[in-house]
Amino acid sequence: MLETLRTAVRSLLSNKIRSALTMLGIIIGVAAVITMVAIGAGASVNIQKFISGVGSNILIVMPGASTAGGVRQQAGSASTLTVQDAEALEQEAFALKGVAPEIYSRTQLVYGNMNWSTMITGSTPSIFDIREWRIADGRFFLDGEARSGAKVVVLGSTVAKNLFGEEDPIGKTIRIRNVPMDVVGVLAPKGQTPWGQDQDDTAFVPFRTAQLRLFRRAAANSVQRITVSALNGDSVSEAEREIKAILRQRHRLSERETDDFDVRNMAEMLDAAAQSTKVMSLLLGAVASVSLLVGGIGIMNIMLVSVTERTREIGIRMAIGARGSDIRTQFLMEALLLSVAGGIIGIVLGTSASKIITGILGWATVVSTGSIVLAFGFSVFVGIFFGFYPAWKASLLNPIEALRYE
């Protein structure tokens, strides 16, 4: 076997360029599989981080759709939710841990000669616990400030950076719609959502402040959404049932009437996103695997050419005692060496490409040991599979006919 290995290495090195070109398909295939799977795994990790940051036990209650001229508008266009609805959920629902009514609008923030447009959300202090926000500097606004409508604001890290740069924002006064607001806190960064939205490009003010001073909504007590959190992940379904029962009773809806609100389960939405990412990762890996098959066909093609070129050599080996199994083993060894060498180079290129993608494009990639083993194992299998026929054909040559071959 050692002599067969030496012979195979000498044969491949005698045609370096041809051997390199034969390996190219395997190299590209292995590198593509590792890179594509790494991109898919990175997307899955991003979704898991987002789930842990948002909370999988969160439900969002949106108003129903309004109708104009017989045409139903998008969900949330009607004013069917009120502050009293949020208070009723907080008092009557047993499966809920926190309830926070919200009104929001994209608004310009001004500090000195700097300005920044962001989403301003008016809510209660409960929103920070529900959304699992952490404070990086300063503090959250307090219950007393929320009830009195104090002119205070908590900024996301993106907003703070764009308004203040390196300056400490705590205690500074900014203007929101010409209303002076004191900055009392800066939120810890959360990063982007899986669909590319910057979670830190936001600001929070007390609900009463937004209601009376900033937005002055036409419907005095209406809210644009109510964000709630269930006691735990297992009680999300029960919490959803309680929310629907309480709101239908408050809105006096009969059994035949449809809900004038919409309850959105964040866990289901995020699970669907995770499943889509998983399927996409598998599809990317499958598409990349086609390159390995193409590389295997290249190996078989070159090995068939090699058998034809070395027919006299095969005849001489058989004439001095080589068996068909020896010839078959030699050509299989050459195919295996091509696939193994191509697989090793492809692993290096694939892991390097994943790091380059992360560094240049900023995409999260995760190169797993499993993907490396899978790609390398598949490349070895392809080499053996497509190398068997040329080796088998070489082993069946008639020694006399092979010696007479020109």
Side-chain angles (χ1 to χ4, degrees):
M1 187 61 70
L2 184 61
E3 182 59 31
T4 302
L5 177 62
R6 290 173 181 168
T7 304
V9 171
R10 282 198 301 268
S11 175
L12 294 176
L13 291 179
S14 65
N15 295 281
K16 296 183 180 67
I17 295 178
R18 187 168 72 180
S19 298
L21 292 176
T22 305
M23 288 191 300
L24 191 58
I26 297 294
I27 293 171
I28 293 174
V30 171
V33 169
I34 291 175
T35 304
M36 294 298 100
V37 173
I39 291 174
S44 297
V45 169
N46 274 346
I47 289 177
Q48 292 301 320
K49 287 182 179 178
F50 181 65
I51 290 174
S52 62
V54 171
S56 59
N57 58 337
I58 288 180
L59 297 102
I60 297 177
V61 187
M62 299 290 295
S66 61
T67 302
V71 178
R72 287 175 62 83
Q73 307 299 316
Q74 73 273 17
S77 55
S79 298
T80 57
L81 294 178
T82 65
V83 175
Q84 288 73 26
D85 289 331
E87 293 173 349
L89 291 177
E90 190 170 14
Q91 295 169 5
E92 299 175 23
F94 297 102
L96 298 184
K97 181 173 63 176
V99 178
E102 297 180 52
I103 53 176
Y104 50 86
S105 177
R106 179 162 289 276
T107 306
Q108 200 81 5
L109 280 66
V110 179
Y111 174 72
N113 62 347
M114 303 298 293
N115 66 85
W116 186 255
S117 178
T118 190
M119 186 65 70
I120 302 290
T121 300
S123 188
T124 62
S126 301
I127 191 63
F128 301 114
D129 290 330
I130 295 172
R131 293 285 305 276
E132 298 183 4
W133 281 105
R134 299 291 177 264
I135 203 76
D137 192 14
R139 60 175 177 83
F140 299 123
F141 51 78
L142 307 175
D143 288 325
E145 293 172 327
R147 288 192 296 269
S148 65
K151 293 185 286 186
V152 294
V153 60
V154 177
L155 303 178
S157 59
T158 298
V159 180
K161 181 179 179 181
N162 283 279
L163 281 181
F164 295 94
E166 299 300 322
E167 186 179 353
D168 183 10
I170 304 301
K172 303 296 192 301
T173 300
I174 64 175
R175 300 187 70 82
I176 305 176
R177 295 192 174 182
N178 290 324
V179 178
M181 307 282 286
D182 295 330
V183 179
V184 296
V186 176
L187 299 170
K190 274 195 174 185
Q192 292 187 341
T193 65
W195 43 89
Q197 180 183 355
D198 185 2
Q199 298 182 82
D200 303 312
D201 189 6
T202 187
F204 291 91
V205 299
F207 182 86
R208 190 169 178 80
T209 305
Q211 185 184 45
L212 300 180
R213 301 177 186 274
L214 298 182
F215 302 149
R216 294 189 175 91
R217 295 178 59 79
N221 287 322
S222 67
V223 300
Q224 289 169 278
R225 68 183 173 211
I226 302 173
T227 302
V228 303
S229 61
L231 292 174
N232 50 56
D234 297 330
S235 59
V236 171
S237 298
E238 178 62 26
E240 188 171 350
R241 284 193 293 270
E242 286 188 346
I243 291 170
K244 289 182 177 181
I246 292 171
L247 291 182
R248 286 186 64 85
Q249 183 182 27
R250 283 190 51 79
H251 297 180
R252 295 181 174 85
L253 299 176
S254 66
E255 292 183 0
R256 295 182 180 181
E257 291 181 291
T258 59
D259 296 338
D260 60 354
F261 55 88
D262 183 28
V263 182
R264 299 179 181 179
N265 189 331
M266 290 294 291
E268 292 178 356
M269 295 169 59
L270 294 171
D271 284 344
Q275 287 297 323
S276 299
T277 303
K278 185 177 180 180
V279 171
M280 184 60 65
S281 179
L282 292 174
L283 287 175
L284 289 174
V287 170
S289 298
V290 175
S291 301
L292 281 174
L293 294 178
V294 174
I297 294 172
I299 288 178
M300 183 170 67
N301 182 45
I302 293 301
M303 295 306 295
L304 285 171
V305 172
S306 179
V307 169
T308 303
E309 289 178 345
R310 296 159 61 187
T311 300
R312 277 183 66 84
E313 175 193 329
I314 295 169
I316 293 172
R317 289 179 183 276
M318 287 183 168
I320 61 176
R323 294 167 298 179
S325 60
D326 297 325
I327 302 299
R328 187 164 55 248
T329 302
Q330 179 187 339
F331 280 90
L332 269 177
M333 185 69 72
E334 292 181 17
L336 185 60
L337 284 174
L338 287 172
S339 60
V340 167
I344 292 173
I345 298 173
I347 289 171
V348 174
L349 288 180
T351 52
S352 300
S354 300
K355 292 179 180 179
I356 291 172
I357 288 173
T358 301
I360 296 179
L361 300 180
W363 296 355
T365 57
V366 178
V367 179
S368 64
T369 304
S371 66
I372 293 176
V373 172
L374 178 65
F376 182 74
F378 191 49
S379 70
V380 172
F381 169 77
V382 164
I384 295 175
F385 181 82
F386 286 100
F388 178 79
Y389 176 71
W392 176 73
K393 182 180 179 182
S395 69
L396 295 180
L397 288 175
N398 187 302
I400 297 177
E401 294 294 332
L403 286 169
R404 294 168 56 184
Y405 182 81
E406 295 293 339

